[in-house]
Amino acid sequence: MKHTPASIIGNTLKWILLVSLLAFALLPLLWLLISSLRTNLELQTNPFGWPQKFQWVNYANALSMASLPRLLINSVVVAVVTVVLNSLVTSMGAFILSREHFKGRDIIYTILTAGVLVPVISFMVPYFSMITRSGLYNTLLALILVYTAVNIPVSIFLVTAFMKSIPKELEEAAIMDGCGFFKRFSMIILPLSRSGIVTAATFCFIYSWNEFVMAMLLTSSIESRTIQLGIKFFSSQFITDYSSMYAAVIITIIPSIIAYVFLHDKIIGGLTTGGVKG
């Protein structure tokens, strides 16, 4: 195959664009990692320089100064329980909306998925009022319930689209064999929808792990705050420990990166399947 000047220029421009996008995505993370291993003096005198000596003590300081271990446990509990609860609710809801036919189904689906278009910040006052009146303020349960509700629109959209792609003949054969409503859901549709559910669960986990505004609004003590709130403890009115703060930021983003690395195949598969069929 001959490479014409136009194709060579096109390929070159394509690779330049791809490399530029990759650098744009990775360089801030690389700078953050390097900065977490420097001293505050080095950051102030030469923000983009290389550390004279790797300051691993910054990570120890991050864990001790902001009670990060306790906040880390809180975040794990909130994220895991939120994912389980959200997956359970949305998988059952998606099964009804994708496999059953009843009056008003499309209206219900539209109302549920319309939440994707509503900014989460607009729910701050209603959620704060509901949580305080129910006596759940400053508890992990408050965050779990709010995060579960906030992620329902996206999860319903993804899982419903994936369940629609499952051939109806499988369900019809199961009905012929005597499978009832719950057996069709638990033994046929749910296992075949695993990729879609994992995709929705991953997005739910990342949101629950990284969320800051609602956690700040609905909690007021170390006992119930999440790891993202620990970052602000490194800054006071007169001084900011940037090195330890950057180390804390690195610690907080590691779980999200690990989750995506191990589940990216299922995420891409779930998105493409849902996008084609839905």
Side-chain angles (χ1 to χ4, degrees), residues 148-192:
T148 299
V150 168
N151 282 279
I152 282 179
V154 174
S155 298
I156 283 287
F157 176 79
L158 292 173
V159 180
T160 301
F162 196 91
M163 286 186 175
K164 285 182 179 179
S165 67
I166 300 174
K168 294 183 178 180
E169 290 76 12
L170 293 174
E171 200 171 355
E172 292 172 354
I175 295 174
M176 295 291 293
D177 291 338
C179 284
F181 178 84
F182 291 103
K183 279 192 175 181
R184 284 188 284 125
F185 170 67
S186 60
M187 300 179 64
I188 298 175
I189 303 301
L190 191 61
L192 293 176

Side-chain angles (χ1 to χ4, degrees), residues 1 3-18:
M1 181 178 177
H3 294 284
T4 63
S7 65
I8 294 175
I9 294 174
N11 289 331
T12 303
L13 293 176
K14 178 183 70 175
W15 280 107
I16 291 175
L17 177 62
L18 291 175

Side-chain angles (χ1 to χ4, degrees), residues 11 38 55 57 63 65 77 149 228 264 274:
N11 289 331
R38 306 176 68 197
Q55 302 294 324
V57 70
L63 291 172
M65 290 174 59
V77 171
Q228 298 300 332
H264 72 279

Side-chain angles (χ1 to χ4, degrees), residues 8-244:
I8 294 175
I9 294 174
N11 289 331
T12 303
L13 293 176
K14 178 183 70 175
W15 280 107
I16 291 175
L17 177 62
L18 291 175
V19 172
S20 300
L21 292 175
L22 182 62
F24 185 78
L26 293 182
L27 285 179
L29 184 61
L30 181 61
W31 178 87
L32 182 65
L33 178 61
I34 295 174
S35 297
S36 69
L37 297 172
R38 306 176 68 197
T39 64
N40 285 309
L41 180 60
E42 289 176 333
L43 286 171
Q44 294 173 4
T45 56
N46 187 12
F48 299 100
W50 190 261
Q52 296 181 358
K53 181 181 178 181
F54 288 156
Q55 302 294 324
W56 298 105
V57 70
N58 291 337
Y59 287 85
N61 293 337
L63 291 172
S64 60
M65 290 174 59
S67 301
L68 240 58
R70 177 59 186 268
L71 300 179
L72 182 62
I73 293 174
N74 291 344
S75 289
V76 170
V77 171
V78 170
V80 171
V81 177
T82 298
V83 167
V84 173
L85 185 59
N86 180 268
S87 299
L88 181 64
V89 171
T90 54
S91 61
M92 292 189 294
F95 174 68
I96 297 296
L97 293 171
S98 62
R99 314 301 294 188
E100 300 295 323
H101 298 277
F102 56 90
K103 188 176 181 179
R105 183 188 67 170
D106 294 337
I107 296 176
I108 295 174
Y109 175 77
T110 301
I111 293 174
L112 288 174
T113 54
V116 177
L117 305 175
V118 182
V120 177
I121 196 171
S122 64
F123 295 127
M124 289 179 61
V125 174
Y127 276 140
F128 180 78
S129 178
M130 293 170 61
I131 292 299
T132 52
R133 290 186 179 184
S134 61
L136 296 176
Y137 179 77
N138 198 35
T139 63
L140 296 181
L141 180 58
L143 297 180
I144 291 170
L145 294 176
V146 170
Y147 293 168
T148 299
V150 168
N151 282 279
I152 282 179
V154 174
S155 298
I156 283 287
F157 176 79
L158 292 173
V159 180
T160 301
F162 196 91
M163 286 186 175
K164 285 182 179 179
S165 67
I166 300 174
K168 294 183 178 180
E169 290 76 12
L170 293 174
E171 200 171 355
E172 292 172 354
I175 295 174
M176 295 291 293
D177 291 338
C179 284
F181 178 84
F182 291 103
K183 279 192 175 181
R184 284 188 284 125
F185 170 67
S186 60
M187 300 179 64
I188 298 175
I189 303 301
L190 191 61
L192 293 176
S193 305
R194 183 170 53 187
S195 294
I197 294 173
V198 169
T199 302
T202 303
F203 284 118
C204 182
F205 174 83
I206 292 174
Y207 174 85
S208 302
W209 186 268
N210 294 323
E211 205 281 329
F212 179 86
V213 176
M214 287 294 180
M216 186 70 182
L217 177 69
L218 301 177
T219 60
S220 59
S221 66
I222 296 295
E223 286 71 21
S224 56
R225 284 187 163 173
T226 56
I227 193 170
Q228 298 300 332
L229 295 175
I231 297 174
K232 75 182 187 67
F233 292 122
F234 295 95
S235 180
S236 64
Q237 182 178 359
F238 302 104
I239 190 172
T240 299
D241 187 357
Y242 289 105
S243 298
S244 299

